[in-house]
DNA sequence: TCTCAATTTAGAATTATTCTAAAAGTGATT
DNA sequence: AATCACTTTTAGAATAATTCTAAATTGAGA
């Protein structure tokens, strides 16, 4: 639980993100120690709920910056909306299709024994296992 | 290679899809025996290239119908566009991020040893492994 | 406090997709 | 072949997620 403002500022500084108002506010919503999978709309609603005044464009800007800086992981599990994942450690996902919701699967709950040889000149950026249920 | 028109009509009939003009035309483009991952735009371009006159809406309709009938598998690997996969057998994917392109990985090239226990009342719809490279 | 680049914002623009409703096609029946 | 009921196709409008633009605001350092 990194709840205090000092920790949030520190987190942003460590990632070379200037700790501005809405960045601190959104970081405070997201990085409370609990793993989350949020959409842009989720964040807008969370911000409204806590009287944080911001704009749609700023939420997009901020989530995209956080993802680019490695504070969030973007998860593409369906064509429409993007999910942003606060859990940065290696893990996999259940996707509840009817609820349009992700849930983490610990990395050691799935044992991948062998990986295929890669095309020439390529390196693995990620190995994502999605179990649709 | 199921190239002749009789086979295409047969395929559509077996899946309870009326073999109309554009359905036969699009099926002819897609089901030539080679595995493909196509976007709607790909199909529109392919159709243009073979002088098949159709509309954007019809390509969407047809690909969605084919996917609903089990003739195609929809693959969601990034937020923007959907891919439609003509390979219906169990397999996984390399995703070439810079080229925005999918490539099949044979199912037995990845050995998944254990799966986590499912949430109550849920059944697995699919297990998708995507290796981003 | 002043300055100026970075940030935030409202609204326009873009992109993928779906919807609407009218025209065209299909298959069965006379 | 003509009719009929229904399905499909289509152009264009509508929707939804996201990005862009350009102007206003902020804030870190001088
Ligand atoms: Mn939501
Ligand atoms: Mn393409
Ligand atoms: Zn996760
Ligand atoms: Zn495939």
């Amino acid at each position: 639980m990194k709840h205090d403002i000092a920790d949030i500022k520190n987190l942003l500084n460590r990632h070379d993100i200037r700790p501005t108002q809405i960045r601190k506010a959104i970081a405070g919503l997201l990085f409370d120690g609990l793993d989350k999978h949020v959409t842009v709309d989720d964040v807008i609603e969370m911000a409204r709920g806590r009287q944080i005044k911001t704009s749609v464009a700023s939420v997009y800007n901020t989530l995209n910056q956080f993802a680019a800086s490695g504070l969030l992981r973007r998860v593409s599990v369906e064509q429409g909306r993007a999910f942003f994942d606060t859990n940065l450690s290696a893990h996999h996902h259940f996707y509840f299709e009817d609820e349009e919701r992700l849930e983490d699967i610990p990395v050691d709950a799935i044992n991948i024994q062998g990986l295929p040889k890669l095309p020439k000149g390529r390196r693995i950026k990620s190995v994502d296992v999605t179990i649709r249920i």
Side-chain angles (χ1 to χ4, degrees), chain A:
Chain A
M1 284 153 233
K2 50 176 79 74
H3 233 143
D4 38 30
I5 190 66
D7 279 341
I8 292 290
K9 283 180 72 167
N10 212 274
L11 176 71
L12 296 179
N13 280 325
R14 284 202 311 278
H15 286 262
D16 293 307
I17 301 169
R18 274 177 49 177
T20 60
Q21 301 258 286
I22 68 110
R23 287 178 186 156
K24 283 184 287 181
I26 291 178
L29 295 176
L30 297 180
F31 308 123
D32 60 358
L34 302 175
D35 292 334
K36 292 175 178 54
H37 307 97
V38 298
T39 64
V40 164
D41 278 351
D42 291 336
V43 175
I44 292 171
E45 285 168 33
M46 290 163 79
R48 278 211 198 95
R50 295 211 208 169
Q51 330 289 355
I52 297 166
K53 189 205 166 287
T54 186
S55 66
V56 175
S58 289
V59 174
Y60 274 101
N61 287 343
T62 302
L63 295 183
N64 285 338
Q65 288 154 2
F66 285 3
S69 306
L71 274 176
L72 287 176
R73 174 196 306 192
R74 191 188 305 265
V75 179
S76 295
V77 78
E78 57 173 33
Q79 114 271 93
R81 307 175 307 305
F83 287 91
F84 292 88
D85 193 340
T86 61
N87 181 351
L88 300 176
S89 63
H91 67 282
H92 303 296
H93 290 110
F94 283 123
Y95 183 60
F96 294 69
E97 291 192 341
D98 52 353
E99 304 175 37
E100 302 190 347
R101 175 171 73 81
L102 286 165
E103 193 171 286
D104 285 346
I105 300 173
V107 70
D108 60 336
I110 297 181
N111 188 0
I112 298 177
Q113 280 296 349
L115 287 182
K117 45 188 162 307
L118 298 176
K120 279 213 180 81
R122 295 277 171 177
R123 291 163 201 209
I124 291 180
K125 295 183 176 172
S126 69
V127 177
D128 303 336
V129 179
T130 304
I131 303 183
R132 282 163 206 271
I133 58 180

